[in-house]
Amino acid sequence: MNFHQRTIVYMTRPALRLALHPFFRMTYAGVEHVPKTGPVLLAPNHQAYADPFWIGLPIRRPIHFMTWSRVFRVSYLRPFLRYFQCFPVDHDKPFDKRALKITQDLLRAGQIVMIFPEGGRTPHGDLQDFKAGAFRIAVKMQVPIVPVTLNGGFEAWSMYRKLPRPGKIRVHFHPPMYFSANDRDLKEVTAEAARAVREVIASKLLRPPS
């Protein structure tokens, strides 16, 4: 880790966790399932803008976040996003080649990348359909996928609220899942991975999945 990454991991995240806890009462389970070394794809459900920070706070490794490109258009947010190692993805494109290349490069370098497979925040608190891009990369590169279930984000800060309200955030990290195409069709295994990860996330979701 470089100095910037060490600052985030060992100083900024613990400070944020301490500061935010009285407001969001965050609890975590299964953090030990996140591999301590090597490439990892974190795949959480998406309920609120703050999901990446709620999820990333207990992890003691650098994390890179794939983030909606429109957020980068807000000038005062850009330094904050860059500091926390976010990179943009254009959800208006079926496949944002630049974002996928950045993801591949980071995983090759042994980094953790967080991608929300739903592609955007849930409008009703339920689980949306998953996009294939992240799973295709994980299958091709044989990278472990750690499903993450987040509860309470929709109630605390849904897409319809300008400001958050006090709530209880529960984050559950599931054991890593591994997929490899080998002699099988890549598209078929990618779809299988997306279904399996979605089922695992849904298993701990307090609101019923769609």
Side-chain angles (χ1 to χ4, degrees):
M1 284 187 285
N2 59 36
F3 177 77
H4 172 220
Q5 291 173 330
R6 286 197 298 271
T7 301
I8 294 174
V9 171
Y10 296 115
M11 295 181 64
T12 306
R13 284 187 199 154
L16 277 174
R17 184 173 178 178
L18 186 65
L20 294 175
H21 183 75
F23 197 81
F24 294 117
R25 293 177 291 139
M26 298 165 294
T27 61
Y28 296 94
V31 180
E32 70 276 7
H33 292 312
V34 180
K36 292 180 172 57
T37 60
V40 181
L41 185 67
L42 289 180
N45 58 310
H46 201 1
Q47 297 191 341
Y49 270 137
D51 289 348
F53 306 107
W54 288 329
I55 294 167
L57 290 180
I59 298 175
R60 292 297 172 259
R61 288 184 59 186
I63 305 174
H64 300 265
F65 306 92
M66 183 182 281
T67 307
W68 190 25
S69 58
R70 292 187 186 179
V71 181
F72 281 82
R73 298 176 190 173
V74 183
S75 59
Y76 65 85
L77 287 179
R78 280 198 293 269
F80 184 76
L81 294 169
R82 298 295 185 191
Y83 179 79
F84 281 99
Q85 302 179 117
C86 302
F87 62 95
V89 59
D90 188 345
H91 289 316
D92 296 328
K93 298 178 181 178
F95 289 97
D96 186 336
K97 293 181 179 179
R98 181 176 180 275
L100 293 178
K101 183 180 185 305
I102 291 173
T103 300
Q104 289 176 311
D105 290 344
L106 288 168
L107 292 173
R108 286 195 188 99
Q111 298 292 313
I112 296 181
V113 179
M114 184 186 297
I115 296 179
F116 294 96
E118 294 167 280
R121 291 166 295 160
T122 172
H124 306 296
D126 51 4
L127 199 56
Q128 306 300 294
D129 291 336
F130 280 8
K131 298 181 181 297
F135 299 103
R136 184 181 177 89
I137 290 173
V139 171
K140 285 181 67 176
M141 299 181 68
Q142 299 186 33
V143 169
I145 303 171
V146 175
V148 184
T149 304
L150 182 142
N151 284 292
F154 183 79
E155 291 77 11
W157 201 356
S158 76
M159 62 193 306
Y160 309 109
R161 298 183 62 85
K162 290 184 178 180
L163 295 173
R165 61 183 177 185
K168 184 173 180 58
I169 304 299
R170 301 177 178 89
V171 181
H172 188 104
F173 296 89
H174 300 272
M177 302 178 72
Y178 298 83
F179 301 90
S180 176
N182 291 327
D183 297 329
R184 298 175 59 194
D185 179 69
L186 177 60
K187 187 175 181 180
E188 178 184 329
V189 179
T190 297
E192 179 183 298
R195 284 194 301 270
V197 171
R198 190 178 188 277
E199 288 176 3
V200 169
I201 293 173
S203 71
K204 291 293 184 180
L205 195 63
L206 299 181
R207 299 177 67 92
S210 59

